[in-house]
Every structure is written in C-alpha cells, then in structure tokens.
Amino acid sequence: MSMQPKGSGEIPAETVRVARAAFPKGSLAIRVRDELGSLFTDEEFADLFPSRGRPAWSPARLALVLVLQFVEGLTDRQAAEAVRARIDFKYALGLRLDDPGFDFSVLSEFRDRLVQADAGRRVLDGVLAAAREKGLLTGRGRARTDSTHVLSAARELCWLEMVAETLRAALNALAVVAPDWLAEAAEPDWFRHYATRAEDSRFPKAPAKREEVGRRIGTDGMRLLKAVTSPDAPAVLRAVPEVETLRQMWVQHFHLVEGEVRRRDPKDRPPGAMRLVTPYDIEARGSVKRDTFWDGYKVHLTETCGADTPDLITNVATTDATVSDFDLVPAVHAALAERCLLPDEHLVDTGYVTARHIVAARREHNVELTGPMMPGTGWQNRAGSAETFPVGAFSIDWDRQTVTCPGGKNSTRWAREPVRDKVEIRVQFSKTDCGSCQVKGSCTRGPRRKLTIQDRDIHEVLHQRRAEQETDAWKERYKMRAGVEGTISQAVNRCGLRRSRYRGLAKTSLQHQLTGAAINLARIDAHFTGARRARTRTSHFAALRPADHTIDGAKQTTPN
C-alpha cells in the first residue's frame, strides 16, 4: 500500500447535522474533535508507507482510531465496526455517514508499521502537542513517575509445560518448513507426546515421575537439535526461529552428564534477565517484587501533577520485567527533555532514587528528584540507637582527605577505587586507635572501623536528603506522589494495562504508548466537561475506623 496524504479535513455537513441531533450533549469522540481538532496528519506517518502501490486508508485517521479503541477497550473488530456504524466516530474522523470504513485487519497492519519504525511514541506526542496548543500542558511544575508489572500475552507455564511446549513449537514449525524431512527424522513416540498441547497432558504428581518426564523431554529435544544441525539436514532448518528458541531453552535448562541428558541445577542456570519463560514470547522475563511474581514486562508512567490543568501522561517507558526502576531515571529525563516537558520537581518512590541520580538530575536537567532514600546498610544504621555511629556521625575533611571519628581519631587510609560504573572512596582507621577506643562496641565489630563513601557532592546530598525526609514539611510535599497510583489503576481498569495484548517488547511498548494517549484523551474530556475526580475507594466499615487505630503497628487515618 502507498500513502496519499489527505488528512481528516473538514467534517461533512451532513455528519455534523446528524451527530448534533443524535448527541445533543456530545460524546468523548465529538468533544475531542471540537476542542483539539485533528490530532494527527498523514504527513506524520508518511515514512511508514512506500511511495507507490495501492492507496492506504488515512494513517492519521487510523492513529485516532487506535487511541479511541483503547479509550473504550475495543477489540480490532469492534473498533472497525465503530468506524463503520457509529456517528460520533465518523464525526471525530471527519467521515461521511455512508463511508464503509475498513476491514479490521487494517488496524493490525498499521500497528505493525508503527512497531517496525518505532513510531508508537508519535501517537502519544500528537495528543500532547494538541494539549499544549490548548494550554493544558506547559512543562516545568511537578511530575511523578511509578511503574507496574505487565503480564505477558502468553500464559504462565510450569517447567514441564514450558519445555514440552518449546519442543512442540519447534516440531510444528519444522513440519511446515520441511515436512518430508521431519517425517523421517521424528521418533515414533514424538507423535504421541507432542502432537497436542502440553496442557492437555496429565503430568504425574510424584516428583520422581515428573523428573523422569523432564529427562524424556530433554532427551527428545537433544535428538531433534542433533538432527537439525547434522550435515545431511537442509541448512534452512537452522534458520527457523522456533529451532533457535529450542536451542536456547535447552542450553538454559539441560546439560549432558556422562552422555545422559540431565536437568541443570537452579544455580547453574542463567540470570533472570537472560532466561526464557515461554516459547511463545521470547522477550518476556520472569521477575519478583515483594509478594508479586510474574512473567512479562514492566511499564513506567510519568504524568504532570499539582496544576489546575488535567494530569497528563507525558512519558511511557516499557522494559522487560527484570530492569530495575533506578535504571530508568536517566532515560525518563532524557525523553522529557526531548519533548520540552521536564518538571521542576520529579516525585518518585524509593526504587528510583539514588544520590547519584539526584545530583545528575540537578546538573544535567535542573530537575529536583524527590523520593525517600533508603537507610544505610550498615548494622549501625539498623540498630536504631543513638549510641551507635553510622557514617553520618563521622566528620569529613574533603580537602585534606581525612575522616574524623566521633572519638576524635583521624583515618589512616583514603583510597579511590573503581566499582562497576562508579568510583568509591575507601576509608579505614588504625587498629591501635580503634582497639583502645571506649565506644568501639558501638562503632565496629571488627578490629578497626572501615567506611565506604561517595564523592563529596553525592555524599552530601545523600545525608542531607535522609535528614530532610524526616521533616513534616518534606512528607507533606511528597504526598503528591501518591496520585500516580490512581493513574496506574485507571490504566489497568480502563485500558487493560495489566496484561499485554501482543507478544514481544516492541508491540507491548506500542500498547503502552496508546494507553497513555487514551488516558490523556479521557482526562482532557473530563476537564472540558467539569467531571469531578473519583476519590479513593473506602469500604463503609473501613470509614468507621478511629483516627488513632493502628494495624500492624502502622497508623491508619480516617479518609477525608
């Protein structure tokens, strides 16, 4: 298909007349078109289409359909039917009432084009640009970020199901590419064990029997890999993606011991960032956060907050499930800077905050990164007693490169040592000084006290923030961050954020960009209609809880 720019243009007069009569109070789609105009232009997506070929449906209209689809939680078939049958959709898209729309498969094809060009962000940017022109987005001010887990589109598999399905997927793929070769290479038992889905099988309950089934599957997979890689096998077989997935899965879970296939010990398997969890979504990864275990991805949402304008999502970042929150801070700030949407203050939770990130955000973007710092890891911090001496109790002379302990003794060693991607300062005191110190038991459990500190700017920020976050003023300011939890809830309940609709990181990322754009349209519409924001749900019984009542030692306050 080729793209011939047409844009939404003017709304046909008959469409306007009928829409006004049918929706006297308007609808979200109608209000969005009236207030924001045409959100996208065909020229923005011109690079996704060849210059020659059969004319394609307007990509600007398709982009708007994708956003409206996520606003209302529609399937592709339902979205295509809405374009064909709903008056308010025709109004938003600028279509005539008798326009037949398009086949639902066009939406999938358009998403594929967006994924291949990594163009999903353009859709979110189009909504943000329209909001900026309307005065609903100005930049600076405050923003907040949080992440949540996203389940893979492929269902979670137990270990036996995972390896059995990996082998079955490879056999099915080879049956399409080289049926005659596979018919000769396949063992007779393979048709009994792998012709149907693993979930249709009844695996034994006894651990010994399950281990025996696992060895059988591992042996069968090894035989297939050996046959595929033999000199007599067609070279095309080794290029089948499912065969490569089989090879990776077997390397991660099996090995040969004295010529026999054995399951690897858990300690002998690769780290979670590399380990496959399903053959049907090879980019999904398994992760854990407190009591939550999941296979899939993680999404980070950043939104404006604290202004009279609606809180709008300004950045969406999707990673595999094993990426730590603090790894995303530089990328989020870079993306906001590119959009000219950096805040003055960025509110985040503990997982995003390190002293290095605070210093880097100030230096590179003039952004104040605000979030509670983790306490020190030494036993002196965990003791929680004024009689112990954590790092903060020591005086540092940065110019002389000397540290003075609470007992008045000076350090004897100051050395800068590289550790991974940073440099740490290692400090230690004399054994003689520490050995004769009367408060040694409150300072160190070894023969001498040793300290590890960061560079001056990072060290000072670290201890300044830890002291500041104990004040009531800081806690009151930080309350604003909690609102992002409501955004995640809205995205989960309205747009299905919790589970990926598609397989693979790129398609999942596109889903999240569309989710961000959909949430923004819904909030802009709520702003125009004066809809009040929903309050945090509290059960009738919970609302009766006394203000000073405590549960598990934590004070529970009565909701406002």
Side-chain angles (χ1 to χ4, degrees), residues 346-358:
H346 189 187
L347 303 170
V348 295
D349 65 17
T350 303
Y352 291 91
V353 183
T354 67
R356 288 183 177 275
H357 283 143
I358 294 175

Side-chain angles (χ1 to χ4, degrees), residues 350 373-378 381 466 469:
T350 303
M373 299 288 296
M374 291 289 290
T377 57
N381 299 87
R466 283 177 177 168
Q469 67 192 30

Side-chain angles (χ1 to χ4, degrees), residues 48-220:
L48 306 184
F49 296 83
S51 56
R52 296 182 179 180
R54 182 165 56 89
W57 218 72
S58 165
R61 287 172 171 152
L62 287 175
L64 180 55
V65 172
L66 287 179
V67 178
L68 293 175
Q69 175 186 13
F70 275 75
V71 169
E72 301 197 9
L74 305 177
T75 65
D76 285 356
R77 290 179 183 271
Q78 291 170 335
E81 184 65 22
V83 173
R84 184 178 303 111
R86 284 178 50 172
I87 299 171
D88 57 338
F89 269 51
K90 290 184 181 295
Y91 183 97
L93 297 168
L95 297 175
R96 293 169 47 186
L97 293 177
D98 59 356
D99 191 292
F102 52 83
D103 185 79
F104 74 95
S105 62
V106 171
L107 289 175
S108 177
E109 295 172 1
F110 184 59
R111 283 196 303 269
D112 287 341
R113 293 181 187 273
L114 291 174
V115 168
Q116 292 168 7
D118 193 20
R121 179 174 157 180
R122 300 182 197 178
V123 181
L124 176 60
D125 286 348
V127 176
L128 293 176
R132 192 193 294 269
E133 291 179 6
K134 200 69 178 178
L136 302 178
L137 188 64
T138 59
R140 306 316 300 185
R142 286 181 174 179
R144 53 198 178 196
T145 296
D146 201 4
S147 66
T148 190
H149 63 283
V150 178
L151 305 178
S152 169
R155 75 177 183 88
E156 185 177 352
L157 302 173
C158 71
W159 183 77
L160 283 178
E161 286 180 317
M162 179 177 64
V163 293
E165 279 297 296
T166 302
L167 178 53
R168 193 178 74 88
L171 290 171
N172 279 328
L174 291 172
V176 174
V177 175
D180 296 336
W181 176 88
L182 183 59
E184 294 182 4
E187 299 286 341
D189 285 348
W190 291 4
F191 296 97
R192 177 162 56 92
H193 293 307
Y194 311 114
T196 59
R197 294 182 179 182
E199 64 188 43
D200 297 331
S201 302
R202 291 189 177 182
F203 293 117
K205 293 183 179 181
K209 292 291 186 180
R210 293 176 69 87
E211 192 68 25
E212 181 180 342
V213 171
R215 286 197 299 270
R216 185 255 298 165
I217 296 173
T219 301
D220 292 344

Side-chain angles (χ1 to χ4, degrees), residues 461-518:
V461 163
L462 176 65
H463 291 279
Q464 178 187 358
R465 176 58 59 82
R466 283 177 177 168
E468 181 186 8
Q469 67 192 30
E470 298 300 323
T471 65
D472 291 338
W474 188 93
K475 293 177 181 178
E476 186 66 27
R477 192 172 84 249
Y478 184 66
K479 285 182 179 180
M480 184 69 68
R481 190 215 69 88
V484 73
E485 305 285 355
T487 297
I488 291 176
S489 177
Q490 183 181 16
V492 169
N493 294 320
R494 182 163 194 164
C495 302
L497 183 71
R498 181 65 68 223
R499 180 176 288 278
S500 177
R501 289 189 176 195
Y502 319 110
R503 297 177 182 179
L505 180 60
K507 289 186 176 181
T508 301
S509 178
L510 173 61
Q511 173 186 339
H512 297 160
Q513 298 288 344
L514 295 174
T515 297

